[in-house]
Amino acid sequence: MGAPPGTVGYNGDGAGLISYKEAMGGMKRVAKGGMNARSMQVAAGLTCLQFAFAVYATFLLYFMSPPTTETLVSPGDWPTLGIHSRGRNATSETEQGLQNGIGSEELREGRGGDRRQMMSTVCEFQKIEFEQKISNDSKMIGIKTGLYKEILDFQQRTIGSETLNELMNMPSSSSGTVRPKVTVVLNHFQRKTLCAQLDALLEQTLPFHSVWVLAFGSPNERTLRNIVDTYNNSQIFFVGSTYDFKYYGRFQLALQAEETDYVYMLDDDMIPGRRMLEILSHVAGTDKYHNAVLGSIGRILPFRQKDYSFPSYRKFGSKEAGIYIPDPAYKIVVDRVVQVDFLSSSWFLSAELVKTVFIETPFTFQTGEDLHLSYQLQKYRDAGSFIIPVDPNDKDTWGDSEHRLAQISETTVIHKNIVNVRDEQWWRLFSRGYQTQWAAMNPQQSDAFFFAHSLSEVADLAPLIQKFRSTVGKKAYVVVTGGTYCPCVEAAALLGWNAQSCRDRRFKIFDLEVGSIHKHLSEASAIQDIFSSMKGLIKIHNPSLIFAVSDLDEKIRDALQMAASRRNTTFVQIPRTSVKHALWIPDVKSAALKNWNKMRISISIITQNRVGSLERLLHSISSAYFLGDRIDIAFNMDVRVDNMTLLAANNFEWPHGNKIIRRRIIEGGLIRAVSESWYPASDHDYGLLLEDDIEVSPYFYMWLKYSLLSYRYDPSVSLPELNAIALYTPRVVEVVKERPAWNATDYFKSIHPNMPYLHQLPCSWGALFFPERWREFYKYMGTRYTPDAKANPVQIPKSRTNGWQASWKKFLIDLMYLRGYVTLYPNFPNQTSFSTNHLEPGAHIGHKANVLSHKREDFEVPLLYEDFRPLLPNQKLPSASKLPVLNLFNQAMSLRGLKSAGAKLRQDVIECEHTETVVVNHDTGEPVQCYAF
């Protein structure tokens, strides 16, 4: 419907405002210029018909328009509000006008007279009697402008920061013939800016779809309502309530903007330039920013201080307090897109994204809707918050054309208690995975997260947590689900920390507060919350590992694994009973710990007809600490295995992985039984070979895992000569005919009595073999095996192994001697070891072909039944460079010396010089070439 005579109306295409009087004046000028009497009569007749139709249409509208009711709303009755547009009935309009000091005569004149006069009576404009505040503090100007440049430079390098022209030249879905629909939500309380905002919106180069003027508990509600009536625009609606829904009310209402593409929410101090809807819609339609929230003002949250704490965002005189952008006081103008931690005063986003703000119930409804919106969008939609650049010389591009408005009324930031609440809010969000610009600019590197879903989990993980945090150079933090599941304050108390640890704005314990901020939390919501929070925390802190107990709820486990998989983080679950025995873990470098799950250790048991021995071995294996790793176990039996042994293998329960039973159909003998019991499937596949008369310590797996991580998976360690890790410590020099006694503790006492060492002798009584070396051994033995031991070309000087027959170990000794390989051996008092040999009759011991006698005391050693870490030098494994090296005859020698001794024989499978050793293809074990060492 057109505007009544004398009023200001909004033309249909959004080009601007026109006056009805101006239009009528134009018609009169045409009439004077050339209409004859006949034409005048026809025009008069048409005018009468038009007037009659207008009266009739007005009559229909007046009596057929439904009356608008206004309901007083209580908090529990949201969203029953009084909503109306220009179509109010005459009685209520007259009453409203009288209440605002406007007589019924003036109202009648407004309908038929000068609408501008009516608006000048109704509209109020905020008086700004001072210039924009400009700082003359050179220190602060330097801090603010320097920080802004630092932020912008970083973003320019990492994500790109476009100028306004560059943005408007980007392809956009909003640039087509079908213009996007934008619903504008104006939130008003007591500022006198509504008319200025409506005028600015009516002048937009992209017309709005609708405008909703909200007045929740406003003392100016009647004035605001009357202004909307006066504008007499069917696309402008008023929503009033005597209850103050505060800062979140507009977002709740915006959820109902179903027929629109975008929602543009404005505080009452924002007067947008003429092009703002056009610019914002265009940018929101680009591929890069379609999932973002856009605005004109924002804030960068605090940076960490030198004491590793984070200050208040309102701390004065400090770079670490962050920055407000743009800031005319410091002449900071946004000429490129800048990502901020949250937007203030205006938000432009797709209608679909609005619902994200209510995935979690806000911490408080008293403040912080701006921060909560950005946090929720980042957490659940990977959406950023961006300030759109302006053309400093064109106010039509400004989203905040009169910044001084924010300085003439009270705001939340001048109330100390509100500042405290907002400080607590952003820190709590930071603890729940909100990545601020400081976090993006300063990526952290931590060693470990410890995740606990219950207080009992905190208690069981406590020894490892405390060991990590007391280890020099390690950074380890605790993450608790919080809420009713694992209250942060109680968790801190279990760790010996004070309650303030949960809120003191330092990295120590992160409280996800799962459930505490939701009125009704489903299991699915809790899992989503845990995943989304952990995803953010991992992105900020980059932990090498996340530790949790092995009996963690499966759905939470899946959420943690999924979050860890998005980054280079390893998720580890440790049985509660193993935690206190795994205090060596913090001594391993984080770069090595990342490989925790890469290695696959399988156990191969060689057994035949010693069921008692087998059962003893199986019992000892079952009693070991396995750290929650998956381990397969295989039984390898020759054709003549007895039924009792078969039954023992069949009935054995193995909860840590697959159980495999292999039985030969043709007798192979011990050499095949051992050498064919295992073959690596990958370069991270390791084989532990155990004959059935072996028994192991409960700590054997801890020793293997610790050694592999330290000497095999540490990127800074290069020890290619390492062939295997032994569980056993020998008491005799095995390769010498007299087999003299030998004690490693005495031998290394000048270094450290319990120093582990590298020995050229392979171990057959419990050893873990490396994949590439085992392939190499397979190929070598296949090349060199002969039924007649004397036909073997390798003759190691003074070694009794030269005459060994039917021994797989003889071939491995030859290989290690020729190519300078070594085995890592443990060394504890009295040769106490991780395995022992009970020296029971079998293929070699007690066999009639073996003329040598074996004394049990020379081979059977005590087993370790206590934590071995305190016994090590400095209570940890020494660096690889400090490991002493022994040759085959237990004589000290360097790794280079071992290679030299083997090369001098020149008896390898391919001929090399005496200064060269054989290099093989690690995938096949095939000799490739000679290499000078």
Side-chain angles (χ1 to χ4, degrees), residues 497-566:
W497 303 341
N498 60 42
Q500 191 59 28
S501 300
C502 297
R503 293 287 183 271
D504 67 356
R505 297 208 289 271
R506 293 175 189 269
F507 297 148
K508 192 170 187 178
I509 185 168
F510 301 123
D511 183 2
L512 303 189
E513 300 187 70
V514 175
S516 62
I517 56 170
H518 297 79
K519 293 180 180 178
H520 304 288
L521 185 71
S522 67
E523 183 181 46
S525 298
I527 301 305
Q528 181 191 35
D529 195 353
I530 290 170
F531 163 71
S532 299
S533 291
M534 288 301 295
K535 177 187 67 175
L537 285 173
I538 292 170
K539 187 175 183 180
I540 294 169
H541 297 280
N542 295 293
S544 296
L545 292 95
I546 299 175
F547 287 103
V549 296
S550 59
D551 58 338
L552 184 68
D553 178 271
E554 290 184 4
K555 293 185 176 62
I556 296 176
R557 176 202 65 197
D558 293 343
L560 293 177
Q561 284 181 329
M562 186 163 53
S565 68
R566 295 169 68 100

Side-chain angles (χ1 to χ4, degrees), residues 245-249 251-252 357-358 360-373 375 412 417-426 428-429 432 513 516-519:
F245 287 93
K246 299 198 181 222
Y247 307 101
Y248 285 90
F251 292 97
Q252 291 173 286
V357 75
F358 293 113
E360 294 177 13
T361 304
F363 295 120
T364 174
F365 286 98
Q366 300 302 310
T367 185
E369 83 292 357
D370 43 11
L371 178 56
H372 187 74
L373 172 65
Y375 159 65
T412 57
N417 64 317
I418 295 296
V419 171
N420 291 337
V421 170
R422 290 176 69 87
D423 268 333
E424 181 185 13
Q425 182 188 21
W426 75 254
R428 290 167 73 178
L429 300 184
R432 303 187 75 223
E513 300 187 70
S516 62
I517 56 170
H518 297 79
K519 293 180 180 178

Side-chain angles (χ1 to χ4, degrees), residues 295-300 323-326 340-345 387:
S296 302
I297 299 174
R299 181 174 284 279
I300 303 293
I323 187 173
Y324 177 70
I325 305 171
V340 292
D341 293 325
F342 65 90
L343 295 165
S344 300
S345 302
I387 297 177

Side-chain angles (χ1 to χ4, degrees), residues 790-859:
K790 295 180 180 180
N792 192 319
V794 180
Q795 297 295 307
I796 300 174
K798 300 180 182 180
S799 173
R800 59 182 289 266
T801 63
N802 293 329
W804 285 5
Q805 300 181 36
S807 173
W808 66 275
K809 188 174 180 180
K810 181 260 190 303
F811 292 98
L812 186 53
I813 289 173
D814 290 351
L815 174 69
M816 293 178 67
Y817 189 87
L818 291 172
R819 298 177 186 174
Y821 297 151
V822 291
T823 298
L824 175 70
Y825 278 86
N827 173 25
F828 299 108
N830 197 28
Q831 286 87 34
T832 304
S833 301
F834 299 103
S835 70
T836 188
N837 175 17
H838 287 290
L839 211 69
E840 292 169 341
H844 292 310
I845 305 300
H847 194 276
K848 61 182 181 180
N850 193 340
V851 297
L852 292 175
S853 62
H854 294 78
K855 297 179 182 179
R856 184 178 296 273
E857 61 269 21
D858 288 341
F859 296 93

Side-chain angles (χ1 to χ4, degrees), residues 46-85:
L46 289 173
T47 301
C48 289
L49 287 173
Q50 288 176 331
F51 178 75
F53 179 77
V55 171
Y56 176 68
T58 302
F59 177 84
L60 286 178
L61 280 173
Y62 181 81
F63 286 100
M64 294 179 68
S65 296
T68 301
T69 60
E70 181 173 11
T71 306
L72 298 182
V73 182
S74 64
D77 296 330
W78 172 268
T80 310
L81 304 173
I83 305 176
H84 72 279
S85 62

Side-chain angles (χ1 to χ4, degrees), residues 261-304:
D261 299 305
Y262 299 105
V263 175
Y264 186 29
M265 283 175 273
L266 293 168
D267 277 354
D268 53 11
D269 57 354
M270 299 293 287
I271 312 297
R274 290 180 65 249
R275 294 185 59 200
M276 277 312 295
L277 290 186
E278 171 198 346
I279 292 170
L280 290 167
S281 296
H282 179 89
V283 176
T286 64
D287 288 341
K288 184 174 180 179
Y289 297 103
H290 78 281
N291 195 39
V293 55
L294 311 174
S296 302
I297 299 174
R299 181 174 284 279
I300 303 293
L301 284 166
F303 284 36
R304 190 165 64 181

Side-chain angles (χ1 to χ4, degrees), residues 584-863:
W584 50 265
I585 296 175
D587 296 324
V588 179
K589 292 181 181 177
S590 294
L593 289 175
K594 282 179 177 290
N595 299 292
W596 183 280
N597 294 328
K598 277 189 177 180
M599 63 190 76
R600 289 289 183 269
I601 296 176
S602 58
I603 301 173
S604 293
I605 297 174
I606 297 92
T607 187
Q608 179 74 349
N609 51 18
R610 295 186 293 201
V611 66
S613 300
L614 176 62
E615 289 177 340
R616 179 183 58 213
L617 171 60
L618 295 179
H619 175 74
S620 68
I621 292 174
S622 298
S623 301
Y625 303 111
F626 286 108
L627 297 169
D629 287 356
R630 181 176 177 83
I631 304 160
D632 293 339
I633 191 167
F635 294 85
N636 299 276
M637 298 171 284
D638 215 330
V639 64
R640 290 188 292 177
V641 60
D642 61 34
N643 290 336
M644 295 298 292
T645 302
L646 274 172
L647 288 173
N650 287 334
N651 295 332
F652 177 63
E653 297 291 334
W654 183 247
H656 305 289
N658 295 320
K659 183 181 75 171
I660 304 162
I661 297 178
R662 303 188 185 98
R663 182 182 182 185
R664 294 180 65 91
I665 60 172
I666 299 175
E667 187 170 3
L670 185 59
I671 191 169
R672 291 181 178 85
V674 174
S675 60
E676 296 178 7
S677 66
W678 170 76
Y679 194 84
S682 74
D683 285 343
H684 299 286
D685 192 8
Y686 300 84
L688 175 62
L689 308 188
L690 299 172
E691 294 188 42
D692 56 14
D693 62 344
I694 303 297
E695 186 179 4
V696 295
S697 155
Y699 292 91
F700 86 88
Y701 191 80
M702 294 275 190
W703 164 254
L704 296 177
K705 187 87 171 184
Y706 188 9
S707 300
L708 278 174
L709 288 169
S710 298
Y711 302 130
R712 177 75 165 175
Y713 285 97
D714 186 340
S716 66
V717 172
S718 177
L719 195 55
E721 298 86 0
L722 190 58
N723 172 75
I725 301 171
L727 302 178
Y728 179 83
T729 306
R731 282 183 164 176
V732 296
V733 181
E734 190 176 352
V735 299
V736 177
K737 186 175 182 180
E738 296 78 13
R739 287 202 305 243
W742 189 78
N743 189 313
T745 303
D746 290 339
Y747 189 87
F748 295 113
K749 63 183 178 183
S750 62
I751 304 173
H752 190 283
N754 300 328
M755 174 66 75
Y757 61 95
L758 301 174
H759 195 350
Q760 200 170 21
L761 178 73
C763 179
S764 58
W765 294 323
L768 184 79
F769 293 96
F770 289 12
E772 72 277 12
R773 294 287 171 250
W774 193 257
R775 296 189 196 106
E776 187 176 346
F777 166 59
Y778 244 60
K779 181 63 180 179
Y780 176 85
M781 187 168 63
T783 303
R784 286 291 170 84
Y785 177 77
T786 59
D788 181 7
K790 295 180 180 180
N792 192 319
V794 180
Q795 297 295 307
I796 300 174
K798 300 180 182 180
S799 173
R800 59 182 289 266
T801 63
N802 293 329
W804 285 5
Q805 300 181 36
S807 173
W808 66 275
K809 188 174 180 180
K810 181 260 190 303
F811 292 98
L812 186 53
I813 289 173
D814 290 351
L815 174 69
M816 293 178 67
Y817 189 87
L818 291 172
R819 298 177 186 174
Y821 297 151
V822 291
T823 298
L824 175 70
Y825 278 86
N827 173 25
F828 299 108
N830 197 28
Q831 286 87 34
T832 304
S833 301
F834 299 103
S835 70
T836 188
N837 175 17
H838 287 290
L839 211 69
E840 292 169 341
H844 292 310
I845 305 300
H847 194 276
K848 61 182 181 180
N850 193 340
V851 297
L852 292 175
S853 62
H854 294 78
K855 297 179 182 179
R856 184 178 296 273
E857 61 269 21
D858 288 341
F859 296 93
E860 193 172 36
V861 297
L863 289 174

